[in-house]
Amino acid sequence: MTALVTFLAFLGMFTLVGVSSARRSSGTTDDYLVAGRSVPPLLTALSSVATNNSGFMFVGLIGFTVRGGLHTVWMAVAWILGDLLVWLFVHQRVRERSGAVDAVSVPTLLATGRDGVVQRPVVVVGAVLTFLFLGGYAAAQLDAGSTALEAMFGVPTWLGAVMGAAIVVAYCFSGGLRASIWTDAVQSVVMLGSMLLLLGYAMVEVGSPMALLAALEAQDPALLRLMPPDAVQGFVPYFLGFVAGGFGAVGQPHILVRSMAIESPSDIPRARAWYYAWFVPFYAAAILLALYARVLLPELTETPTGLSSEAAQLAVVHATERALPALATELMPPALVGVMLAGLFSATMSTADSQMLSCSAAVTQDLFPSLRRSTWASKAATLAVAALALGLALWGSAGVFAMVLGAWSMLGASLGPVLLVRVLGRPAPAWLAVTMMASGLGTVQLWSTTGLSAAIFDLLPGLAVPLAIYGVWSAARR
């Protein structure tokens, strides 16, 4: 009961922060979708951390590391490197370009050429892709949150998903992107604080990182293997695949919109410094916690009997993705368990709210431009996207890790290359932009269905093919 009270108190605080942002709202669609382009760099950074460190980090990545062991550190290193490239070369240009063409949605930014003319086919395709894949991405967040509630309190997964969707809709309705960013900033503090707190408890139980390594070796020497077992094509392609994965942020509307909303392009370097001061420790803590969970809760990886091999494998995935709430329940007093759950649940909400708002922008700004100036239409679209995400969360069967990586790859490969062309000021006729999006999407799908993504993450070829197409076209027109 104490854990539940603490959890509800923090949840109430997050909702109150989001709702209170309505006092700063001007009531316009620009304010609802990009916060009037008035967000200071610190808030941009904290919001970006919370949005990027979603249920994928608390649930999917930790489960992946519990199953795989130490070699997953390479995924973290590569992902951070790819993400850094986007911060160094893309985010500032996104702010400059979106401000220059007055774009409040990523599809509009993709479709606006150097002459300022909006290419309608590109807008429609970009908006449809945003709606479909961000809807699935948001579903993964609701699934992650409901997984945590079920593990800690025995709450039915459907009720946890409904609760998360309702809270996100409540503060999105109140203040739009500003509400999302304000709550994200508070959630970032709770997320990192709760992660470090649980890490401290785990270290007291097992010992220092050196003691952790010894315990992992005693359990299974393969857990200390640094070479990823899936790297059948060699380490370098495997590593570069996850660098491309981190670079996939270039095609994520819910992340890019934060750069579009910052006060000034010149504020991006300060936001970047704050972002990595928060992001790197968070990623390191997640990997360490997962390894401690493997030592303290080895039963999570036990294969259940009486099931088909596919069903048994999925059962292990779901069990290991509950590692964080299970570890918190095992080690922490009830009041702090509530704080930990609040951190995990806030991670899912901080991403889902941004994704729902980006989908709303795709609907009202891009698919149905006659609704562009209607704030109520934007809110209705938010509600529709929340319903879609909730349905997918309730009836989907894949684990959070797979759902997030799938949506991330599809968005990164389809939207990312075209966005790069636009922010670099390069020409691209509408047919070429649509071809690039289709080729990126098709490449990721083909790579995944043939099983090659285990050896090389599918976003590497997914980015390479459309960029190669653009390179061939650019060379041919000289």
Side-chain angles (χ1 to χ4, degrees):
M1 179 59 71
T2 303
L4 180 60
V5 170
T6 307
F7 167 70
L8 292 176
F10 273 86
L11 214 57
M13 177 184 68
F14 298 147
T15 306
L16 182 61
V17 169
V19 170
S20 67
S21 70
R23 294 179 302 169
R24 296 283 301 275
S25 174
S26 63
T28 65
T29 52
D30 282 7
D31 191 87
Y32 186 75
L33 297 174
V34 290
R37 302 189 201 274
S38 62
V39 182
L42 177 58
L43 286 182
T44 297
L46 293 179
S47 177
S48 297
V49 168
T51 299
N52 211 353
N53 293 345
S54 60
F56 168 75
M57 188 79 73
F58 269 101
V59 178
L61 176 68
I62 285 180
F64 180 61
T65 306
V66 169
R67 297 190 299 274
L70 194 60
H71 75 81
T72 58
V73 72
W74 293 118
M75 178 184 177
V77 173
W79 203 278
I80 290 171
L81 179 58
D83 185 58
L84 178 60
L85 293 175
V86 180
W87 273 98
L88 288 172
F89 301 111
V90 178
H91 282 304
Q92 190 163 347
R93 289 182 170 91
V94 165
R95 177 61 180 88
E96 292 168 349
R97 181 69 178 160
S98 64
V101 302
D102 195 28
V104 297
S105 74
V106 170
T108 296
L109 183 60
L110 293 177
T112 307
R114 292 193 300 178
D115 55 3
V117 175
V118 177
Q119 300 166 339
R120 187 64 188 159
V122 180
V123 167
V124 172
V125 173
V128 169
L129 292 175
T130 297
F131 186 85
L132 290 177
F133 292 118
L134 272 192
Y137 202 152
Q141 308 311 313
L142 297 180
D143 185 33
S146 63
T147 295
L149 286 178
E150 181 192 30
M152 283 191 172
F153 301 132
V155 174
T157 53
W158 69 266
L159 182 58
V162 169
M163 183 189 306
I167 291 171
V168 167
V169 167
Y171 62 71
C172 281
F173 266 34
S174 300
L177 186 66
R178 180 175 286 105
S180 173
I181 288 173
W182 282 25
T183 52
D184 285 355
V186 178
Q187 288 164 351
S188 280
V189 176
V190 175
M191 286 161 58
L192 182 59
S194 59
M195 186 76 83
L196 294 177
L197 192 62
L198 181 56
L199 182 58
Y201 273 90
M203 292 180 73
V204 169
E205 191 74 18
V206 176
S208 68
M210 294 305 296
L212 170 65
L213 294 177
L216 287 169
E217 185 175 27
Q219 188 178 119
D220 183 357
L223 293 171
L224 298 186
R225 181 172 50 195
L226 283 174
M227 177 59 73
D230 293 331
V232 294
Q233 303 299 322
F235 176 76
V236 172
Y238 179 89
F239 186 80
L240 289 178
F242 282 117
V243 171
F247 191 77
V250 74
Q252 311 303 319
H254 59 296
I255 294 175
L256 295 171
V257 73
R258 275 146 178 76
S259 298
M260 295 166 66
I262 200 169
E263 285 177 327
S264 167
S266 62
D267 287 330
I268 291 292
R270 278 192 292 160
R272 181 174 65 234
W274 280 111
Y275 175 86
Y276 281 100
W278 221 260
F279 184 40
V280 174
F282 191 93
Y283 222 135
I287 295 289
L288 271 175
L289 264 179
L291 296 174
Y292 276 107
R294 178 58 191 254
V295 169
L296 293 167
L297 303 170
E299 66 274 10
L300 294 177
T301 59
E302 293 177 358
T303 304
T305 58
L307 300 175
S308 67
S309 59
E310 184 178 349
Q313 185 178 12
L314 188 58
V316 172
V317 169
H318 285 303
T320 53
E321 288 187 345
R322 289 166 169 79
L324 196 63
L327 189 64
T329 304
E330 182 80 15
L331 299 181
M332 302 172 81
L336 294 182
V337 169
V339 176
M340 184 71 240
L341 180 58
L344 196 163
F345 204 70
S346 65
T348 67
M349 292 192 301
S350 65
T351 303
D353 58 9
S354 309
Q355 291 161 341
M356 292 178 190
L357 287 169
S358 291
C359 288
S360 300
V363 172
T364 60
Q365 304 299 302
D366 305 315
L367 289 178
F368 303 102
S370 60
L371 303 176
R372 184 170 293 161
R373 298 302 172 190
S374 172
T375 304
W376 283 109
S378 295
K379 292 182 177 181
T382 302
L383 189 60
V385 175
L388 169 67
L390 183 58
L392 291 173
L394 293 177
W395 287 288
S397 60
V400 173
F401 188 77
M403 290 174 70
V404 170
L405 286 187
W408 181 277
S409 294
M410 293 295 190
L411 286 167
S414 59
L415 304 186
V418 180
L419 183 126
L420 277 176
V421 168
R422 295 303 189 201
V423 299
L424 291 174
R426 306 294 298 172
W431 68 266
L432 178 60
V434 171
T435 300
M436 291 172 67
M437 287 191 280
S439 66
L441 202 63
T443 301
V444 167
Q445 184 63 33
L446 179 64
W447 205 261
S448 178
T449 54
T450 55
L452 294 172
S453 56
I456 302 173
F457 186 49
D458 47 30
L459 199 44
L460 181 58
L463 289 169
V465 169
L467 289 175
I469 290 173
Y470 184 83
V472 171
W473 175 83
S474 183
R477 65 189 294 269
R478 289 175 184 171

